[in-house]
């Protein structure tokens, strides 16, 4: 039971932190990813670094929990590929991975 309570508290705290984030810069990033293939290539290498150039800041505590960004094209392909962020983020997570994702999307950009 203690582990379940710890997980519930961790999830609650993550949602509180997410509610304080300004997601506005991601709208322009989303438009630019659609219009600029070379930007998408840079995004694949380091999505959060590219997002920070556009003014988006993800708290370090959420990065440690495995939050990340992806771009999805009209053929439903993920950039970076779906396996890359998941495997990397699970290594950083401080609690056991439960297989749950929360996706918030714009036209092509996801915060996962």
């Amino acid at each position: 039971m203690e582990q379940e309570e710890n997980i519930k508290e961790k999830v609650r705290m993550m949602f509180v932190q997410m509610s304080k984030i300004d997601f506005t810069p991601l709208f322009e990033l989303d438009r630019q990813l659609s219009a600029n293939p070379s930007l998408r290539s840079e995004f694949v290498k380091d999505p959060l670094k590219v997002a920070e150039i556009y003014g988006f800041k993800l708290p370090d505590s959420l990065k440690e929990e495995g939050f990340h960004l992806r771009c999805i094209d009209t053929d439903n392909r993920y950039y970076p590929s779906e396996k890359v962020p998941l495997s990397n983020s699970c290594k950083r997570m401080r609690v056991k991975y439960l297989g749950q994702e929360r996706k918030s999307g714009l036209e092509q950009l996801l915060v996962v």
Side-chain angles (χ1 to χ4, degrees):
M1 281 305 261
E2 184 178 335
Q3 184 178 16
E4 287 98 358
E5 289 303 315
N6 288 341
I7 290 170
K8 286 188 336 188
E9 178 60 17
K10 179 74 66 183
V11 170
R12 187 188 74 72
M13 290 303 297
M14 284 188 286
F15 279 115
V16 167
Q17 289 178 42
M18 285 190 69
S19 72
K20 298 175 183 176
I21 297 172
D22 179 10
F23 289 94
T24 306
L26 295 181
F27 289 96
E28 181 59 27
L29 175 56
D30 184 64
R31 285 189 283 275
Q32 293 302 318
L33 286 170
S34 298
N36 187 341
S38 63
L39 180 62
R40 185 179 293 174
S41 295
E42 290 302 311
F43 180 83
V44 167
K45 294 174 190 170
D46 193 340
L48 289 174
K49 181 178 178 183
V50 171
E52 286 177 358
I53 292 168
Y54 283 81
F56 178 72
K57 301 289 184 199
L58 187 66
D60 288 339
S61 58
L62 292 179
K63 291 177 189 176
E64 291 169 4
E65 295 301 333
F67 281 74
H68 53 277
L69 299 176
R70 291 187 187 138
C71 179
I72 302 174
D73 69 13
T74 55
D75 294 319
N76 204 31
R77 287 184 296 249
Y78 285 68
Y79 302 92
S81 68
E82 198 163 18
K83 292 179 182 177
V84 172
L86 183 58
S87 63
N88 288 342
S89 64
C90 286
K91 290 176 187 173
R92 293 190 311 262
M93 293 176 80
R94 290 182 278 178
V95 296
K96 183 178 178 182
Y97 178 65
L98 300 175
Q100 177 181 340
E101 281 192 351
R102 170 70 174 105
K103 296 180 180 181
S104 301
L106 303 171
E107 187 170 328
Q108 292 188 73
L109 192 63
L110 287 181
V111 178
V112 183

